[in-house]
Structures are given as C-alpha cells and as structure tokens.
Amino acid sequence: MIDLCLINCKLSPESDLCCIGVENGQIASLKKTHIPAEKTIDVRGKIVLPGLIDTHVHFRDPGLTYKEDFKTGSQAAANGGFTTVLDMPNTIPPTNTAKEFQKKLKIASQKSVVDFGLHAGVGDLKEIEKIAPLHPASFKVFMDLLDNGVLQDIFQKIALLPGKNIISLHPEDRDIVNHCTSRLKSEGIMEPEDYARARPALAEELAVSQALVLANHYQLPVHLCHISSKKSLQLANMSKSLGCTVSSEITPHHLFLDSSCFLKWGNLTKTNPPLRSKSEKISVSELDQVDIIGTDHAPHTLEEKEKNVWESSPGIPNLETTLKVLITHYNKGNISFESIKRVLCENPARIFNMQKKGFLKEGMDADIVIVDLKKTGRITCEDFYSKARYTPFEGFEYVGAPVMTLCRGMTVMEDNQIFPNPGRHIYS
Ligand code: DOR
Ligand code: ZN
Ligand code: ZN
C-alpha cells in the first residue's frame, strides 16, 4: 500500500484520466489504474498541474511583518496553488550577509507552509563568497539603486565563485529614473497616471542592455525580473539567440494590465517598473516569448498605498489572483494550457535548478495543484490570506480556480482553507 492515490486526474484538458500514486512525499507512479493506498482523493476529472513555483515574492520577514510575514505569505501562496516560492532579500535587515541569510532560513523553516528558496541581496561584496555555500536561489541586484562601477564589481566577484550562480536583476537604469523623477517632481506633477513617465520604458531597456553586456562579458546566467516593455524582451531574446544564458520574467500585472489602470485604481497599481501603455507593453499573445511568470507579490498596507504618487509604496500582491486570471484567459482562448504550465512550473524549476519540482513525473516531489476549470466567482482581496488589502484585479470575474494544493503529498489548501504544513528549504 502506498500513502496516497489521487484518482480520476487529468494532466491536461484533453488528456485521459489517470491516477497519481504518492509515497514519502514523492510521486511513486502515474498510471491509468488505481493503486491501493492508505488515502484516496477522487479528483473527479479535474485538472492537476505541478505545484506552481513563484520565483519572485516579497514576504517582508523579518522587519516588515506588518505588511506580510512568512506564514501569511506562504498561506497566500498555497491558496493560489503555489507550492514553492523564492523570497526576495529587501527585508529589514536585508538578506545580504551570511548571518542574515541564515536567520531568514530559520524564520522561513519555522513559518512557511510551502517549500521555499531565498534570493540573496548584495551589500558588502565580501559577503558574496560567504553566502554562496548557503545556496541562494540567486544573487538579486536592484540596478535602480546602484552605479555601474559597483554593478561591474558584483558581476566580477560572482563570476569567480565555483558552480552555477544566477544573478537576478531589477532592471531599471538609476540615472534615468532619478533624472525623470526629479524633473516631474519639480514640475509639481502629482497624478498617479504620470508615474510611468518618472520611470520610462527606456530606463528598463537601457538596464536590460547593460545586464546583457555584463552577462556576456562574465559568462554568467542572468534572470531579468518583471520585464514591462516589449523592446526589453526583444533585447533579451536577441542575446539569448547569440548564446547568452538569460531568462525573462513577467508579472501578471504587466501582462494583463496597462497604464490606463492608473485612472481607475490610482496608486494601488503603482509598481516598479510601472505599468506600460498598450503599445509599449508585452501582449498576452506574446507570452510564448517569455520564460517565467513571477508574481512579484509585493504587499503593503492600504495606508502606505494611499499616500500621494511619490510617497505611495510600489508593489502589488499577486499570489492569490494569478492562477485564476490565467485560467480565465485560457478559458477565453487567449492562452494555451501548455504555456501556463511552462511559465509557472517547468521553466521556473529548470531555470532555478529545482531537481524535484515543476513536473508531474515519477520521482518528483508530489507538489500538485488541482484546478477546477469551471469554478466561477469574482476576485476580492477580502478572500486573501495575504495581509495586503488591495488588488487591481478586484472584481475580476474568473472562470477557473485552484481548489486543492498538495505540498509533497500533504494537503495544504482545500476549498480555500489552509492547513498547517512544514515548508522546506529546497536548496538544502
Ligand atoms: O514595485 C515594486 N515593489 N518593485 C520593487 O522592485 C520592489 C517591490 C517591493 O519590495 O515592494
Ligand atoms: Zn524589482
Ligand atoms: Zn520584486
């Protein structure tokens, strides 16, 4: 007898029914026939996807836990169908020393209900070689906060490390952002819809080009976070075709929303980089040119969001909206089922070196999300486990939603109820 068998599963909308056997938290078999098990879950013909992987979350723990913490953030992940998250280092203190990295590993191990990895920040360059043996998902660099000299030093230092080390980048050019922001401020501009002019697409395109040059020079893999401009994506893909190891990420808001949302939602849609106009942004039909959807789940309090355009905190919470929005677009015929799997499961696992994640195959972790393609409702932040109390997808009428999430065979979400589950560091 195995531990668990999920029966009447569909691996894709067109496929035949199958059974998934789970033993010791891993997928033991994928067969047409039922396998005797201690526990059986009848999926009743619903879709099963590999547990989603979010390569880009901000859980704010430690230091900013009034916005989110590793418990609520990971509960939001499980509620949205995510079983693995990679957390960003801009906490207080930042996760840019070996000591802070270890502290955050401890916090996450105690609080997370899903599996996790941590991106390391970069501060004192001497810490880079001390953090590397702790297996960060990547070294994350905010290009909007650094000058070129420091950036070069960081690449040089990381290139000398043994093994494969990824650099994740927030690609916005610091000088252009500062220049445009001060000019708008001095002109007294205060409307949320003008925010995109303070951080124009060119700032991103320039930073992307610079990142690609550095990646090529130092032969390092780079991951470009939250690409907002079509031209940035073209640059990334061009350099990929020349042999650079570069991966691209888009957020659900940069994919599905555009700058016109500022008129409706004001600063609730403020994010860095800003939402772009329809002509500048990457369109839904171009999703096959992007490697990963990362939610950039970046929760803040309503009070912080409701300040004026310059003071309002940038960031949008996304873990509990992403799959609903994507499946709805699948149901409308705008995106394929295969691309959802590619950008939220397979590519994140491949690009960020997760050997046991991202695929429903024998020997993989039994990370599974069951999706009801027909479940309907309206998105509302009132249903969030996240501490964030806003979403620009408020009122979105969805068709299709995650109804159960299993992390290494343990049910962590069923019908939007969360159960305790010890999340693990995936790179330990
Ligand atoms: O909008 C953003 N919010 N962009 C970032 O790069 C940081 C993030 C945050 O941490 O809130
Ligand atoms: Zn960023
Ligand atoms: Zn981010």
Side-chain angles (χ1 to χ4, degrees), residues 7-308:
I7 61 168
N8 296 317
C9 304
K10 267 186 161 193
L11 299 182
S12 78
E14 296 80 32
S15 68
D16 296 333
L17 295 175
C18 73
C19 297
I20 304 177
V22 177
E23 177 88 321
N24 294 327
Q26 297 196 339
I27 297 176
S29 66
L30 260 170
K31 293 206 172 81
K32 291 244 177 299
T33 49
H34 183 184
I35 306 137
E38 303 269 350
K39 182 181 170 188
T40 300
I41 297 175
D42 189 350
V43 175
R44 296 167 183 266
K46 292 191 193 69
I47 299 290
V48 293
L49 275 172
L52 311 185
I53 300 166
D54 193 349
T55 55
H56 192 152
V57 303
H58 297 266
F59 282 174
R60 314 294 193 203
D61 205 345
L64 297 163
T65 51
Y66 67 94
K67 296 177 196 258
E68 193 78 289
D69 61 49
F70 236 102
K71 182 174 174 200
T72 54
S74 64
Q75 288 177 327
N79 195 30
F82 290 86
T83 51
T84 305
V85 294
L86 301 180
D87 184 57
M88 285 296 169
N90 58 336
T91 40
I92 299 178
T95 323
N96 59 13
T97 63
K99 197 168 155 214
E100 285 307 324
F101 194 92
Q102 267 159 332
K103 271 198 210 161
K104 195 189 264 187
L105 278 179
K106 201 164 168 197
I107 292 170
S109 307
Q110 285 165 350
K111 295 190 186 177
S112 190
V113 301
V114 298
D115 286 352
F116 59 87
L118 306 179
H119 295 286
V122 181
D124 178 356
L125 298 190
K126 288 199 230 47
E127 289 290 328
I128 289 177
E129 62 208 45
K130 295 188 196 154
I131 296 175
L134 304 173
H135 306 291
S138 79
F139 286 94
K140 169 77 186 281
V141 174
F142 290 84
M143 294 175 82
D144 55 337
L145 306 176
L146 291 178
D147 66 44
N148 293 344
V150 176
L151 206 57
Q152 177 218 266
D153 289 346
I154 294 171
F155 271 75
Q156 198 169 36
K157 192 102 193 178
I158 293 175
L160 292 173
L161 295 172
K164 180 187 165 193
N165 294 281
I166 305 166
I167 302 188
S168 292
L169 295 155
H170 174 114
E172 284 188 294
D173 182 81
R174 189 181 71 153
D175 289 350
I176 295 200
V177 165
N178 289 349
H179 175 77
C180 297
T181 303
S182 343
R183 190 170 54 200
L184 289 174
K185 278 186 180 169
S186 71
E187 287 168 5
I189 287 188
M190 291 297 270
E191 294 307 318
E193 57 269 33
D194 291 313
Y195 185 67
R197 286 162 56 208
R199 306 178 81 101
L202 180 66
E204 180 180 279
E205 290 150 18
L206 211 57
V208 164
S209 323
Q210 192 188 3
L212 297 171
V213 170
L214 285 163
N216 184 47
H217 187 86
Y218 289 104
Q219 291 295 298
L220 277 172
V222 291
H223 176 69
L224 302 167
C225 295
H226 45 54
I227 293 294
S228 67
S229 127
K230 193 193 296 247
K231 287 187 173 139
S232 303
L233 181 64
Q234 286 166 346
L235 288 168
N237 287 341
M238 212 161 65
S239 100
K240 209 191 257 185
S241 70
L242 295 175
C244 278
T245 312
V246 48
S247 48
S248 57
E249 172 193 286
I250 191 166
T251 70
H253 41 283
H254 288 103
L255 183 62
F256 294 114
L257 307 178
D258 60 68
S259 50
S260 67
C261 283
F262 274 112
L263 294 170
K264 184 168 179 196
W265 297 110
N267 294 326
L268 295 187
T269 46
K270 176 177 165 178
T271 182
N272 294 340
L275 298 182
R276 302 294 174 203
S277 65
K278 284 199 177 77
S279 59
E280 273 179 321
K281 73 186 277 293
I282 295 157
S283 65
V284 177
S285 63
E286 291 162 325
L287 182 61
D288 58 349
Q289 296 169 40
V290 183
D291 294 310
I292 286 179
I293 287 187
T295 72
D296 197 2
H297 179 83
H300 298 284
T301 64
L302 260 188
E303 200 185 349
E304 290 167 325
K305 289 302 285 182
E306 282 168 349
K307 293 181 179 167
N308 77 54

